[in-house]
């Protein structure tokens, strides 16, 4: 751990989850090769249903089976083939991870959708999203908490020398809090979830897993005060979407970790260099007025979001640039 008590080493870099392609063995080789200080369990949504973030996390839920209906995930009366597929994919991924990273002894990041984003994405059997029913939302958070605790234990059994870091993906959180999730008709929106309720739902999951947790939100208006109050130890942001630096400055000043999303997720010309990425992080840090000696301890360099929409060569180049940017910052 760093002097800040954060579960990564100085100058760390990582990915945020998804990669292109369908070959999990190759994806894990890339991650372990390019991100040796903070690798993550890659996600490959191109494999189809059950490999997407909602289906993948839904496969971890306890006593709350889900299924595909009209290309959308919904609560199912009993476990079926869609759930089996999601669970089989995850088991295959963990077995491959154990094979390739058997001797790994550092921090390892895993990802799952958070309870608010799940509730905004999974439908009830009677129609409408789980977001509409406060009781269903509480049940979902409890099921997710239990399922993620078991998932962490499964990873730890396979890699007993690694220390697990959990990333909860909450891209829908700002919209859920603002009442901007549209109903199925598109003519209205679901009632906003109160901040206190959202805090309790996220806190339920964070407390249950018993490992350091960061929350990832690649949307504007990330509620940093709320996230800090859940027990999370950090946040993953797309820095290009930041409009108000004050909440971030307050969080960092209190010791919160930052997974700084600085590398574009799809090609817009040449791949960014490590110098480009280090400079973007450094510029933000200097604007916030913090001493440089803390930067590489508190900040992890990452892509702006997942890389599923990129090609393999670009994804590899971005991860390598993030790694080298982290090392540049650690040398200052």
């Amino acid at each position: 751990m760093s002097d800040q008590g954060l579960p990564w080493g100085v100058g760390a870099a990582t990915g945020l989850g998804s990669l292109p392609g369908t070959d999990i063995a190759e994806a894990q080789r890339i991650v372990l090769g390019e991100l040796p200080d903070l690798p993550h369990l890659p996600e490959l949504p191109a494999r189809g249903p059950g490999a997407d973030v909602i289906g993948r996390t839904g496969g971890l839920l306890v006593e709350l089976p889900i299924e595909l209906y009209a290309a959308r995930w919904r609560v199912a009366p009993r476990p079926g083939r869609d759930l089996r597929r999601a669970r089989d994919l995850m088991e295959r991924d963990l077995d491959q991870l154990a094979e390739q990273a058997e001797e790994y002894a550092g921090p390892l990041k895993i990802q799952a959708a958070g309870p608010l984003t799940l509730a905004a994405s999974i439908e009830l059997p009677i129609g409408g999203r789980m977001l509409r029913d406060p009781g269903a939302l509480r049940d979902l958070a409890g099921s997710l908490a239990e399922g993620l605790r078991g998932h962490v234990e499964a990873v730890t059994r396979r890699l007993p020398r690694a220390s697990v870091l959990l990333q909860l993906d909450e891209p829908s959180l700002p919209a859920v809090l603002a009442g901007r999730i549209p109903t199925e008709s598109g003519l209205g929106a679901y009632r906003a979830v109160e901040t206190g309720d959202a805090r309790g739902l996220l806190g339920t999951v964070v407390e249950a897993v018993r490992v350091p947790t960061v929350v990832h939100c690649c949307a504007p208006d990330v509620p940093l005060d709320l996230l800090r109050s859940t027990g999370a130890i950090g946040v993953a942001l797309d820095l290009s979407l930041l409009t108000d630096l004050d909440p971030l400055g307050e969080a960092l000043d209190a010791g919160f970790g930052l997974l700084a999303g600085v590398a574009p997720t799809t090609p817009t010309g040449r791949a960014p260099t490590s110098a480009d990425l280090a400079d973007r992080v450094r510029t933000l840090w200097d604007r916030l007025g913090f001493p440089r000696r803390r930067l590489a301890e508190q900040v992890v360099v990452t892509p702006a979001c997942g890389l599923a929409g990129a090609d393999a060569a670009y994804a590899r180049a971005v991860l390598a640039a993030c790694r080298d940017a982290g090392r540049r910052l650690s040398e200052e």
Side-chain angles (χ1 to χ4, degrees):
M1 289 197 182
S2 73
D3 291 341
Q4 298 288 330
L6 295 170
W8 50 73
V10 174
T14 194
L16 290 180
S18 66
L19 290 175
T22 60
D23 185 342
I24 188 60
E26 176 61 15
Q28 293 195 356
R29 278 192 290 271
I30 290 172
V31 167
L32 291 167
E34 305 298 347
L35 302 169
D37 299 322
L38 183 53
H40 67 282
L41 180 65
E43 303 163 359
L44 302 179
R47 291 183 293 181
D52 60 295
V53 66
I54 301 303
R56 190 171 174 84
T57 306
L60 300 173
L61 297 174
V62 174
E63 297 183 358
L64 190 63
I66 63 170
E67 64 183 1
L68 275 174
Y69 178 77
R72 295 191 296 270
W73 289 103
R74 71 174 183 182
V75 177
R78 64 189 63 84
R81 65 179 183 179
D82 297 325
L83 185 59
R84 285 195 300 273
R85 173 178 166 79
R87 290 176 173 171
D88 287 348
L89 285 170
M90 182 66 82
E91 283 295 308
R92 192 181 312 165
D93 292 358
L94 293 182
D95 289 344
Q96 183 61 227
L97 178 66
E99 180 179 326
Q100 293 199 37
E102 182 180 6
E103 300 302 319
Y104 181 71
L108 171 76
K109 184 167 68 64
I110 60 175
Q111 304 84 220
L116 284 310
T117 292
L118 276 184
S121 305
I122 298 175
E123 296 187 356
L124 294 161
I126 58 173
R129 307 193 194 185
M130 297 188 78
L131 200 60
R132 69 183 287 186
D133 184 337
L137 190 47
R138 289 191 296 272
D139 290 345
L140 175 63
S143 174
L144 178 62
E146 187 174 349
L148 283 175
R149 185 169 57 240
H151 183 46
V152 168
E153 291 170 354
V155 174
T156 302
R157 283 195 302 272
R158 287 171 168 87
L159 298 178
R161 299 174 63 196
S163 54
V164 176
L165 168 67
L166 173 65
Q167 172 185 304
L168 288 177
D169 292 317
E170 282 285 12
S172 299
L173 179 58
V176 166
L177 294 173
R180 297 198 305 263
I181 300 296
T183 58
E184 285 59 41
S185 69
L187 301 177
Y190 289 101
R191 180 176 58 86
V193 173
E194 296 294 328
T195 297
D197 293 336
R199 179 185 299 114
L201 294 164
L202 276 165
T204 294
V205 177
V206 172
E207 181 180 358
V209 294
R210 304 191 188 107
V211 295
T213 301
V214 299
V215 180
H216 169 222
C217 186
C218 52
D221 305 320
V222 178
L224 284 165
D225 287 345
L226 185 159
L227 299 185
R228 288 171 58 193
S229 67
T230 64
I233 57 94
V235 64
L237 301 173
D238 178 349
L239 295 194
S240 70
L241 299 179
L242 279 176
T243 55
D244 183 0
L245 295 185
D246 288 344
L248 179 60
E250 292 171 7
L252 292 171
D253 194 43
F256 216 47
L258 172 63
L259 275 63
V262 288
T265 57
T266 53
T268 55
R270 66 172 177 84
T273 67
S274 60
D276 295 332
L277 303 186
D279 188 58
R280 290 172 195 171
V281 175
R282 196 184 297 113
T283 297
L284 171 72
W285 196 258
D286 289 346
R287 286 179 63 192
L288 291 169
F290 295 125
R292 287 274 184 94
R293 60 178 172 77
R294 288 175 47 189
L295 194 165
E297 297 176 347
Q298 209 163 341
V299 176
V300 175
V301 183
T302 77
C305 202
L307 292 165
D311 59 51
Y314 182 80
R316 186 191 288 268
V318 163
L319 296 182
C322 289
R323 176 200 65 217
D324 291 342
R327 291 176 179 174
R328 281 175 176 266
L329 294 171
S330 71
E331 294 167 357
E332 296 183 352

